[in-house]
Structures are given as C-alpha cells and as structure tokens.
Amino acid sequence: MGRQYANITETVGNTPTVRINRLAPDGINLFVKVEAFNPLGSVKDRLALGVIEDAERTGALKPGQTVVEATSGNTGIGLAMVCAAKGYPLVVVMAETFSMERRKLMRYLGAKVILTPAAVRGIGMAQKAAELAEKHGWFYTRQFTNEANADFHSRTTAVEILHDFPNGSLDYWVTGFGTGGTLKGVARVLAKESPKTKIVVCEPADAPMVASGIAQERDANGDPTSSHPAWKPHPQQGWSPDFIAKLADDGVSQNTIDQVQTIENAEALKWSRELARKEGIFCGITSGATFAGALKVAEKAAKGSTILAMLPDTGERYLSTPLFGEVATDMNEEEIEIMRSTPSAWLPPAQS
C-alpha cells in the first residue's frame, strides 16, 4: 500500500533493522539498525524533529524565529531539514575540523554555517552558539542538555527496537554516544520493558571519557565548563566531543551499563569499509565503530545470543575524510586490464 506524507518530517524514524550475514560470527544473531534511512541520512534527524516540535508545543520557539545550534554536522543537517520544512531560519556553529560535505549540505538546505577554530573544540562551539542566541534573541536548541532529545528517542527509537525484538528477545544493545539522546532515551525504556537486554556503550579509544570514570565538570545548566581530561582529538566524527554531554551522563548513571567498549580509530575505519564491501551497508565512521563494539561483545556472548548495533549515519558524510582515503577516482591496473580485455571504448591512461 502506498502512503502520502504531509511533509518530509513525517518520514523521520521507522528505520530498518537488518541482519548481518557475511560478517556475523558463527552462532550469533547480529543485527544493525540503519539510521541512514532517515530522510537526511542520520539518527540526528530524530533529535532535530524532537527538539523543534517540543519547542513549538511549549512556545519556546516562535513562528519565524531563528534557530541556532552547535554541531559536528549531523544535528545541523537534521535541523536544516526540519527548519526548511517548517520555515525557520537556521544558524549552525561548527568547528573547522569537520568534513566539508557537512558544511555544504547544511548550506544547500538553507542554513548559515559559522565556523569556529579547532583549538576551542566542542566547548567553544557551544559557547559561540549560546552567545549568538543571547545576542540576537534566537532559539538555542541545546542538543546536549535538552530533554526533548532523549524523550523523542524513548517514543520512537526504543519503541521500534521493542517491536523488532519482542518478548525480551534482544540480548545486547550496542550504541555510541554524542549528545547522549539515543543512549538515555532508549536505555531507560529497555531497562523497563526488556530488562534482560544488556546495554553496551562504545567510545573512541583516544577519548575514553566514560571508561576513565572521571566526572565531567559542568555548570548548573548542565553545560560543560571545561574539556574532559581523558579526551584527545579523534576522527570518529559525531561521537564524543571534548566533553560528556549531560544527557550522555544521565544515560550512563541512570541505567545499568553492562560494558564500555573503547574503539580504536583503525577498527572504526575497517568495519565501516567491511560493512560496505561485505554486506552492502553504506555507513559512516561511527557506524563502523559501533559495529566493532558489537563484534567485541559477540566474542564473549553465549551461542545463540542476539545483538543489535546502532549505525548512526551514511557514508556520504565522509567522502573527504580518511574513510575514503584509499578509494581512487581513476582506474587501477586491474580495472585497466579488464577494460582492455575487449576491443571497444578504450579510455586513454590518466595523466599523472
């Protein structure tokens, strides 16, 4: 049966759960939830819609008011989609280090993108967004502390997972964290409705903030006051800014976390590529990292265990990053040999 949608925001959520076949360890039922099926290609589309619709309901966001947020990219892209559909101007603050594709996508969707120096990190981005909101009277979505972020995941992502794995049939749920909205929103629902499901949190090995056990310093609003001492720069964009977001802190402290897995950058890159080449699943670096975490869980899980890993976004966000560093645009020797195996339509060798 076909269906007509009133607008693009109605297509957010209901992303597919897909079985892993060629990469799954023997005796393990391994699945991934492919958030790239959201309209703008990431799990952050859920966050964007959740915080904007909550602000509309409460009156915090007025018709035509400018929205502002600090983001590594995916939240900004999701907000750009929602704001375009609903008629709100959007200003995004983003550190200069994040991929060019993200800047272009947001600007293509009509957003203004303000870049901040790499040296001021995620905290600097957030401070700039807060300053702009106060200066101009804009609505600051506050993705790292806004409860509407986690609430939307409780109403959608968690419900979808329970539908796909009824009657407590999910043994492990594996996720990363950035804002913490997915972690907090889903974990509290699983704890209540599927208590046997163990929750596994992944984070970059170069930024083991949760694994360190060191508390994040924050102000009365929940905003960080300094970079976390365990953080170092890493290429797993979208995960782990230089602080533990309040929602992520809540997700860890308010739920029973079975494991914390630290993921090396090389592992994240490897498994992103393997998912594409062996399963046909096109995803980003943090998806590879979460999948690496799921494989670590599978090594010790009982035979017959069922594991679900979150895949946060599409690989198209990373064309200018090391994820695609080994992918050539010109034909290699093997491809040239195939071309020359028949007589027609030979292309001259590329000029070096």
Side-chain angles (χ1 to χ4, degrees):
M1 292 290 291
R3 179 181 173 187
Q4 295 180 346
Y5 295 91
N7 60 68
I8 193 64
T9 67
E10 290 189 353
T11 68
V12 172
N14 291 310
T15 56
T17 292
V18 178
R19 179 181 285 275
I20 296 299
N21 297 293
R22 297 179 65 196
L23 296 178
D26 290 341
I28 298 294
N29 300 307
L30 182 55
F31 294 86
V32 292
K33 190 161 176 61
V34 189
E35 290 296 299
F37 275 75
N38 281 301
L40 262 293
S42 90
V43 68
K44 298 299 181 64
D45 291 356
R46 298 179 188 262
L47 180 167
L49 184 58
V51 298
I52 293 297
E53 289 193 336
D54 177 75
E56 289 176 327
R57 283 192 299 270
T58 63
L61 177 60
K62 307 297 190 292
Q65 186 179 10
T66 295
V67 175
V68 62
E69 182 55 281
T71 171
S72 64
N74 280 334
T75 296
I77 293 166
L79 282 170
M81 175 263 295
V82 174
C83 288
K86 291 177 172 285
Y88 299 107
L90 173 66
V91 175
V92 169
V93 180
M94 188 170 74
E96 62 180 332
T97 50
F98 296 114
S99 69
M100 297 294 178
E101 294 88 337
R102 298 173 185 225
R103 300 182 199 179
K104 289 187 174 184
L105 282 166
M106 287 183 281
R107 288 179 172 136
Y108 187 78
L109 287 158
K112 305 295 184 186
V113 180
I114 309 303
L115 300 177
T116 55
V120 302
R121 300 178 176 175
I123 285 181
M125 291 193 317
Q127 288 174 341
K128 186 69 171 180
E131 289 174 0
L132 289 170
E134 183 175 358
K135 170 76 173 179
H136 301 288
W138 295 343
F139 173 68
Y140 182 18
T141 55
R142 294 186 175 276
Q143 62 170 325
F144 299 106
T145 59
N146 193 332
E147 292 295 335
N149 176 357
D151 291 345
F152 196 81
H153 282 287
S154 292
R155 295 196 305 272
T156 64
T157 318
V159 172
E160 294 164 28
I161 292 170
L162 290 173
H163 178 269
D164 292 343
F165 298 96
N167 304 316
S169 57
L170 181 61
D171 296 298
Y172 296 91
W173 178 63
V174 186
T175 186
F177 71 92
T179 67
T182 306
L183 172 59
K184 181 177 181 178
V186 174
R188 64 189 175 192
V189 174
L190 291 181
K192 180 180 179 181
E193 303 294 338
S194 184
K196 73 165 257 189
T197 303
K198 295 182 171 65
I199 297 166
V200 180
V201 176
C202 301
E203 61 181 350
D206 284 346
M209 296 184 290
V210 173
S212 75
I214 302 171
Q216 173 68 54
E217 295 181 356
R218 60 182 81 252
D219 62 21
N221 295 320
D223 295 320
T225 56
S226 62
S227 293
H228 194 281
W231 186 87
K232 291 192 300 184
H234 60 85
Q236 297 176 42
Q237 295 185 27
W239 268 15
S240 303
D242 61 309
F243 56 87
I244 303 175
K246 180 182 182 299
L247 294 176
D249 223 351
D250 292 346
V252 172
S253 62
Q254 295 174 8
N255 297 281
T256 302
I257 305 301
D258 183 68
Q259 300 175 39
V260 177
Q261 297 279 5
T262 57
I263 309 299
E264 297 288 346
N265 297 327
E267 291 180 285
L269 296 170
K270 171 187 174 181
W271 290 111
S272 298
R273 295 170 183 142
E274 288 292 286
L275 281 165
R277 295 167 183 172
K278 301 290 178 62
E279 299 286 344
I281 297 173
F282 188 45
C283 59
I285 298 173
T286 53
S287 298
T290 313
F291 189 73
L295 291 177
K296 291 176 185 288
V297 171
E299 289 175 1
K300 298 181 179 179
K303 292 292 184 181
S305 291
T306 299
I307 302 170
L308 174 66
M310 299 295 293
L311 302 189
D313 68 359
T314 171
E316 289 182 350
R317 301 283 135 91
Y318 302 89
L319 293 172
S320 63
T321 74
L323 183 60
F324 283 80
E326 298 176 359
V327 180
T329 54
D330 296 320
M331 289 188 289
N332 60 29
E333 291 183 3
E334 183 179 4
E335 291 165 337
I336 292 171
E337 184 178 347
I338 294 171
M339 177 192 70
R340 291 174 174 171
S341 67
T342 64
S344 67
W346 279 28
L347 190 70
Q351 298 298 315
S352 57

